[in-house]
Amino acid sequence: MARKVEYIVIDGCIQDGRKVTVKGELYSPASKEQAEELVAEGKIALLSDPIARLLLAGASNAESEEDE
């Protein structure tokens, strides 16, 4: 069963093995401890966080403008 993505990268990028997740992309930490550490550092935020919602909205608007 796939894990539910609950976080978004809000600062910089995160490398997990060969996979790199950049600002504005959804991210699933490998463990609860890793998630807590990254949240404390300000690297990721819960999707329910207002900052995360603004980033998602901004990414959607940028994609719409590129399509035009």
Side-chain angles (χ1 to χ4, degrees):
M1 175 185 259
R3 284 185 280 168
K4 181 179 176 187
V5 176
E6 301 176 358
Y7 297 92
I8 186 169
V9 177
I10 59 171
D11 184 35
C13 63
I14 300 171
Q15 184 170 358
D16 202 8
R18 290 185 175 185
K19 183 173 192 244
V20 177
T21 307
V22 298
K23 182 177 179 178
E25 292 184 346
L26 300 176
Y27 177 70
S28 292
S31 67
K32 183 178 177 182
E33 292 78 19
Q34 182 184 27
E36 290 171 354
E37 182 179 326
L38 291 169
V39 168
E41 292 175 2
K43 299 289 185 189
I44 63 173
L46 285 169
L47 284 175
S48 59
D49 188 297
I51 293 172
R53 290 182 185 195
L54 286 173
L55 282 173
L56 286 174
S60 295
N61 289 340
E63 288 176 4
S64 296
E65 290 175 4
E66 287 178 3
D67 290 342
E68 293 177 2

